[in-house]
Amino acid sequence: MATLLHRLGLASVRHRIVVTVVWLLALVAVGVGAATLSGTTANTFSIPGQESTKALDLMKEKFGAASAGATVQVVFEAPAGETVTGQDNAAQIAKTVASLGQVPGVVSVSNPLDQANPAVSRDQAAAYSTVTFDVQPSLVTDEQRESIIDKVEEARSFGMTVEAEGEALSNPADIGGASEILGVVVALIVLALTYGSLVAAGMNLLTAIVGVGIGAAGIVTLTGFVDLQSTTPILAVMLGLAVGIDYALFIVTRFRHELRRGLPVEESAAMAVGTAGSAVVTAGLTVVIALAGLSVVGIPFLTEMGLAAAATIVIAVLVAITLVPAILGFIGLRALPKKQRGVHGDVLPDGRGFIKGWANLVTRQRTISLILAVAALAVIAIPFFSMQTTLNQRAAEGSTQAKAQAIIDSRFGPGVSSPLLVLVDGPDAVQYATTVQKQVASLPDVALATPAQPNQDQSAALITIIPASGPEDQKTVDLVHAIRDTVPDADGAEVYVTGNTAVSIDVSQKLNDALPVYLALVVGLAFVLLVLVFRSILVPVVGVLGFLLTIGAAFGATVAVFQWGWAADAVNAGSTGPILSLAPIIIVGILFGLAMDYQVFLVSRMHEAHAHGASPRDAIVTGFRQAAPVVVAAATIMFAVFAAFVPEGNDTIKPIAFALAVGIAFDAFIVRMIAVPAALALLGRSAWWLPSWLRWLPELDVEGAALERKPSASAPASSSAGSASASGASSASASGASSASPSGTPSAGSSVSPSAGASAASPGTRVTPEPHADSADTASESTSV
């Protein structure tokens, strides 16, 4: 793989004008497509094949499309000491109802004071009207929502409290707000500090934006042909922007390292793609497989989300290994700070630095380091065991939706705003519906079961059930199951339980059942992938256990904030309650891929040092010094991008973005910086052990070992450290020939590992570094930390 990517990188940088133009044309093309072909997105969830979903389709067929249309409840509450049935208040309610009926798209508005179907509280202090649209919630326009809100505000001027809530008022997630801008700004700052060069930082950010722009615009274009969830584009943008910046960061960092070692610009770009690019492809593949793996759950909208996000990751990888080297060819030495452009070699003379000191501390105090890291994450994960999920999204505190819900709950009961619908379908439906209504009315937790309402041809009947408990209460879940278990079908009549609450219960149950299966899938995938990458059994075990710690802690923190309400104001949570049902499985998929990114980038440097003869502990310190600073910078950027979506993001996105942000922080700064090096230090040489019966496994060569043995026509005749080796052309490698010190160990400009370049030895000869990690370190950008 390294050789193929080296060739691709060399071709990209040599034909940089063509490569750049092709990517820009692709961006323009999908941009035009997004502007001209885009459609609407959905903000409701359903699963084909579920009883509740089947019943909704039958309702549309039997009662018309309006029966399943979006609704809004407009709530009226009289001033203290008055009633809604008073003459003045009643007249105002009638006027508001008539006004609401004039909103475009509204097919019916109920009058709560109608004697035939009243909707007045027992104390007559409140009433509510139901506004029904002729389309589903996702098709209600912003103008229609604003018109409803305007009518509500107008009604308030007459003295009553008037609020509105309902699915039709839910706004889909939007792309291009302050969240994305804030994430980009923070990323630019981190990149500038990391590189010490605004040119390199700007180039890194620009290529990532091109990639995510193509991915996002492509998804928006698809909305004109495929029904996608409103969260799909914004999830793709959030993830694509984060990994796009990170993948370019790894390539550019390696390019700068090769420039410092004295390689020409073109060869430096090719070597960066062949080495760091191999890790980028491997890491990107893990993310893609994890996201595409969401399709195994069997839920269409989740499959769409996963495939759309995976496509964005594929584009980010392609940009990193083609467009990035092409742009590097344009900027050349300007990727380095001015003071470094004429200086070759960047190994610290004394081997000091915070990163090395940290690695030494963790590996020396490995037992206590591992215990503290595991204990901290285990404590944070405790709230995870009380996690609850739902599809019913809570309105933000202080909003008209939240106020309306509070009035309904206090005056009418928590089940009024989330009724269940019992559909009886068949030739004998109307007759059997009377029996069904009596059976349901006798069940526990039923506050009201309305008389059956038949359709025009008497082939179906609809019964509205008002539970005594709220939609998120376990009693309501039990009621749905009780109706299905105790009310049988009859000859000529089938009984279905549906409604938004029943759909939410069905989807949540399906997702909760799928989560363990999916988690087992990605954990198994992680293990197999890491075995192939590192040709080891225990290193994958450490990586997988670290991932499980990350997942547990991320869920625990999310539950504590968004369900328990701890520090909710600090992140502008808006409302607290059960976590959105689809959030956990999406979080698992994304965090899996990102955690494996850091595992591959960090441990591969340790693996290559060990493969070149370093002792187990020295290999850990060497690899840590080389990779940790870049991993920290990448994690900081990714944390910033995800965290930026939390304070002002869409309510659906907030808990997902929060979980991803804290998950990245836990994984990068605790698992990969403490737990993994400590665990590997405890394992010693056994960490790299592979049973003999597995030696047949293929070598993926993510470290670029093949490039070490392959001469490069563009490599310089000698290294930046001194004179060339006497071995002639055969001693030149893909990264140039390196000189050796009198003692026989590599000098500052020499390469001791595949990822750092070639050794001074002839092909097939292995250069063994000194036992101590100081001398084992190669010239790496990370050593300047």
Side-chain angles (χ1 to χ4, degrees), residues 288-322:
V288 168
I289 294 175
L291 292 171
L294 290 170
S295 59
V296 304
V297 177
I299 300 176
F301 70 79
L302 205 55
T303 299
E304 294 166 1
M305 286 184 183
L307 293 178
T312 305
I313 301 301
V314 170
I315 294 172
V317 171
L318 292 176
V319 165
I321 60 178
T322 57

Side-chain angles (χ1 to χ4, degrees), residues 378-510:
V379 170
I380 298 173
I382 290 175
F384 164 67
F385 296 99
S386 63
M387 183 173 67
Q388 298 175 334
T389 60
T390 182
L391 276 185
N392 296 307
Q393 302 177 38
R394 286 182 174 272
E397 294 181 9
S399 65
T400 184
Q401 292 95 328
K403 293 176 181 178
Q405 187 64 60
I407 294 173
I408 291 176
D409 289 351
S410 62
R411 299 291 186 179
F412 296 91
V416 170
S417 60
S418 53
L420 300 173
L421 299 176
V422 176
L423 174 67
V424 185
D425 177 59
D428 299 328
V430 175
Q431 179 180 356
Y432 187 56
T434 303
T435 302
V436 171
Q437 189 269 343
K438 293 179 181 178
Q439 288 180 303
V440 172
S442 65
L443 293 174
D445 203 52
V446 174
L448 175 67
T450 65
Q453 299 294 322
N455 65 343
Q456 289 186 349
D457 62 5
Q458 305 290 301
S459 63
L462 199 61
I463 303 168
T464 301
I465 309 298
I466 306 298
S469 52
E472 298 161 1
D473 197 306
Q474 183 60 38
K475 292 181 180 179
T476 303
V477 177
D478 294 339
L479 175 60
V480 170
H481 292 307
I483 296 174
R484 290 171 175 168
D485 293 340
T486 60
V487 180
D489 295 335
D491 292 338
E494 293 181 278
V495 180
Y496 303 89
V497 181
T498 187
N500 290 332
T501 301
V503 170
S504 173
I505 291 171
D506 288 346
V507 173
S508 296
Q509 185 64 52
K510 176 74 172 180

Side-chain angles (χ1 to χ4, degrees), residues 11 39 64 240 256 288 344 412 499 519 597 643 654 683 761:
R256 286 154 55 92
V288 168
H344 294 162
F412 296 91
L519 186 59
D597 281 3
K654 280 184 179 182
L683 292 172

Side-chain angles (χ1 to χ4, degrees), residues 98-386:
S99 177
L100 290 168
Q102 298 174 1
V103 174
V106 171
V107 293
S108 67
V109 183
S110 66
N111 188 337
L113 304 182
D114 188 346
Q115 296 299 320
N117 191 23
V120 180
S121 62
R122 291 183 179 180
D123 59 5
Q124 298 190 347
Y128 69 90
S129 170
T130 300
V131 181
T132 304
F133 286 87
D134 58 358
V135 294
Q136 294 183 346
S138 59
L139 298 178
V140 176
T141 65
D142 291 337
E143 290 75 14
Q144 290 172 319
R145 295 187 187 95
E146 291 171 1
S147 182
I148 293 290
I149 296 300
D150 290 342
K151 303 295 184 184
V152 168
E153 291 179 352
E154 181 181 345
R156 292 172 184 158
S157 62
F158 295 93
M160 284 191 297
T161 298
V162 186
E163 307 291 350
E165 67 90 24
E167 57 191 2
L169 296 182
S170 299
N171 282 306
D174 295 322
I175 300 176
S179 299
E180 293 91 328
I181 296 174
L182 178 60
V184 168
V185 170
V186 173
L188 181 60
I189 294 173
V190 174
L191 289 172
L193 293 174
T194 301
Y195 292 140
S197 167
L198 284 176
V199 173
M203 185 281 300
N204 191 323
L205 189 59
L206 179 63
T207 55
I209 291 175
V210 169
V212 77
I214 292 173
I219 292 172
V220 171
T221 303
L222 280 177
T223 60
F225 306 93
V226 180
D227 291 331
L228 296 177
Q229 296 298 319
S230 60
T231 52
T232 299
I234 200 167
L235 278 173
V237 168
M238 184 169 59
L239 186 57
L241 183 61
V243 300
I245 294 173
D246 278 6
Y247 291 167
L249 170 63
F250 291 118
I251 300 289
V252 176
T253 297
R254 189 52 184 263
F255 171 75
R256 286 154 55 92
H257 165 61
E258 299 299 339
L259 284 179
R260 289 194 183 98
R261 297 184 59 251
L263 267 65
V265 170
E266 290 189 358
E267 183 61 26
S268 294
M271 183 62 71
V273 176
T275 52
S278 298
V280 165
V281 171
T282 302
L285 182 62
T286 65
V287 184
V288 168
I289 294 175
L291 292 171
L294 290 170
S295 59
V296 304
V297 177
I299 300 176
F301 70 79
L302 205 55
T303 299
E304 294 166 1
M305 286 184 183
L307 293 178
T312 305
I313 301 301
V314 170
I315 294 172
V317 171
L318 292 176
V319 165
I321 60 178
T322 57
L323 181 60
V324 169
I327 301 299
L328 288 175
F330 286 117
I331 67 174
L333 292 176
R334 285 176 294 171
L336 295 173
K338 288 184 179 180
K339 62 181 180 180
Q340 296 181 7
R341 291 174 189 173
V343 180
H344 294 162
D346 59 353
V347 176
L348 290 177
D350 57 3
R352 295 176 183 173
F354 174 78
I355 295 296
K356 181 192 172 183
W358 181 262
N360 279 323
L361 175 64
V362 170
T363 53
R364 285 172 183 161
Q365 305 297 328
R366 44 191 174 271
T367 302
I368 188 66
S369 296
L370 182 59
I371 291 174
L372 289 176
V374 172
L377 293 178
V379 170
I380 298 173
I382 290 175
F384 164 67
F385 296 99
S386 63

